């Protein structure tokens, strides 16, 4: 049996990060969604570090993912790493995290910063962003219309899973998600679309049927002009060259 997450997080601070100011315990275990193999997600904050880092380790039966920062590196990751790609991994962890060993002035300030970043939302997509996503989805959907094999169908379907969710969320000026966090994120902000999304991909992965997914993406892209292939042009930056 594994000890309670708060007990373990406290021990980790005492044994591994004794000079840290605060640890935020986040992830599925504090949302009541943990399983027997869930890990502990920790954001560990020091007053100052030479550089932020991430490390993984085992502690008393728990797999642990630790994201180690100081306030300045956290701010950088919030604004220069997570915000531009539209996936607020660190701000969400800090905002939802339980403070170990207890709330402090610093932890309150960092939670406020994380909350401000989350409330501001991701950068809005411009026409180029929308068209790039339309083109990507068009290409991927074309690949599943007549797949050469079940293996290729599944491979393309895995790419579509993230791409469809990202297009829906970013097109609606919402924070996006990736991988296993996608279903939870969609259910939070768009329950009806989430249901269609899950049904479409279940039909693809379980039954090998593509009709529901093609229809879902067709409806999704209709707001921006539909499928995009003919005439699409993507120009590389002028500086992308090396002399012979």
């Amino acid at each position: 049996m594994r000890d309670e997450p708060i007990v373990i997080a406290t021990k980790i601070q005492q044994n591994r990060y004794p000079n840290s100011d605060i640890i935020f315990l986040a992830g599925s275990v504090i949302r009541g969604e943990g399983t027997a193999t869930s890990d502990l997600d920790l954001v560990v904050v020091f007053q100052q570090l030479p550089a932020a880092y991430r490390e993984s380790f085992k502690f008393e039966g728990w797999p642990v993912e630790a994201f180690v920062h100081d306030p300045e590196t956290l701010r950088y990751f919030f604004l220069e790493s997570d915000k531009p790609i539209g996936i607020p991994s660190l701000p969400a962890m800090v905002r939802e995290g339980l403070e170990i060993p207890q709330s402090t002035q610093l932890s309150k300030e960092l939670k406020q910063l994380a909350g401000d970043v989350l409330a501001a939302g991701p950068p809005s997509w411009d026409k180029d962003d929308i068209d790039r996503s339309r083109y990507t989805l068009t290409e991927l959907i074309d690949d599943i219309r007549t797949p050469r094999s079940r293996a290729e169908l599944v491979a393309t379907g895995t790419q579509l899973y993230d791409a469809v969710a990202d297009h829906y969320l970013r097109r609606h000026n919402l924070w996006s998600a990736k991988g296993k966090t996608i279903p939870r994120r969609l259910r939070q902000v768009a329950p009806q679309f989430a249901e269609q999304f899950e049904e479409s991909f279940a039909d693809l992965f379980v039954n090998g049927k593509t009709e529901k997914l093609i229809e879902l993406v067709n409806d999704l892209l209709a707001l921006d002009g539909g499928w995009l292939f003919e005439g699409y042009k993507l120009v590389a930056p002028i500086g992308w060259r090396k002399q012979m």
Side-chain angles (χ1 to χ4, degrees):
M1 295 292 292
R2 303 192 294 185
D3 286 341
E4 289 295 321
I6 294 175
V7 173
I8 293 298
T10 302
K11 288 183 179 180
I12 289 173
Q13 186 189 42
Q14 294 168 347
N15 288 273
R16 195 175 182 101
Y17 308 111
N19 297 320
S20 64
D21 283 64
I22 194 75
I23 286 182
F24 297 97
L25 169 61
S28 60
V29 293
I30 69 154
R31 294 193 301 269
E33 301 170 353
T35 69
T37 58
S38 291
D39 61 9
L40 293 184
D41 293 318
L42 307 179
V43 180
V44 184
V45 184
F46 289 81
Q47 277 293 333
Q48 189 170 20
L49 289 174
Y53 62 94
R54 172 179 177 174
E55 62 179 353
S56 304
F57 55 91
K58 293 281 187 72
F59 190 93
E60 295 191 11
W62 283 91
V64 181
E65 291 275 6
F67 303 83
V68 187
H69 287 269
D70 64 27
E72 290 186 351
T73 65
L74 260 187
R75 184 177 179 84
Y76 179 90
F77 272 75
F78 285 1
L79 300 177
E80 304 297 334
S81 180
D82 288 4
K83 188 177 179 71
I85 64 172
I87 301 176
S89 301
L90 270 176
M93 290 172 69
V94 170
R95 186 61 178 170
E96 75 173 12
L98 296 177
E99 294 140 294
I100 305 295
Q102 61 189 8
S103 175
T104 65
Q105 183 60 37
L106 176 61
S107 70
K108 292 175 183 176
E109 291 172 1
L110 293 175
K111 277 185 171 288
Q112 181 63 53
L113 174 60
D116 291 344
V117 171
L118 292 170
S124 297
W125 270 7
D126 60 20
K127 186 178 185 303
D128 287 344
D129 295 318
I130 295 169
D131 286 350
R132 188 178 296 110
S133 181
R134 286 172 62 203
Y135 180 79
T136 297
L137 289 172
T138 299
E139 286 253 278
L140 291 172
I141 288 293
D142 282 346
D143 286 342
I144 70 168
R145 291 183 192 274
T146 53
R148 284 183 287 263
S149 67
R150 178 64 182 265
E152 288 193 9
L153 178 63
V154 171
T156 305
T158 59
Q159 291 179 276
L160 277 163
Y161 193 88
D162 279 51
V164 172
D166 191 57
H167 187 97
Y168 179 90
L169 292 165
R170 295 302 302 279
R171 189 63 187 90
H172 288 82
N173 294 321
L174 298 168
W175 288 108
S176 192
K178 60 183 177 181
K180 66 181 182 181
T181 63
I182 286 174
R184 176 165 53 88
R185 178 64 178 147
L186 288 177
R187 290 189 209 113
Q188 286 174 342
V189 299
Q192 184 175 352
F193 181 81
E195 183 177 353
Q196 295 174 297
F197 180 90
E198 291 176 24
E199 288 179 358
S200 298
F201 280 99
D203 216 21
L204 175 72
F205 291 130
V206 177
N207 303 316
K209 295 181 178 179
T210 62
E211 293 81 6
K212 288 183 180 180
L213 181 55
I214 293 172
E215 182 181 359
L216 179 72
V217 178
N218 180 69
D219 292 344
L220 179 62
L221 298 185
L223 297 173
D224 295 308
W227 307 107
L228 179 59
F229 182 83
E230 179 70 26
Y232 180 67
K233 182 179 181 180
L234 185 60
V235 180
I238 294 173
W240 283 21
R241 62 175 70 240
K242 282 189 176 293
Q243 293 184 347
M244 297 294 290

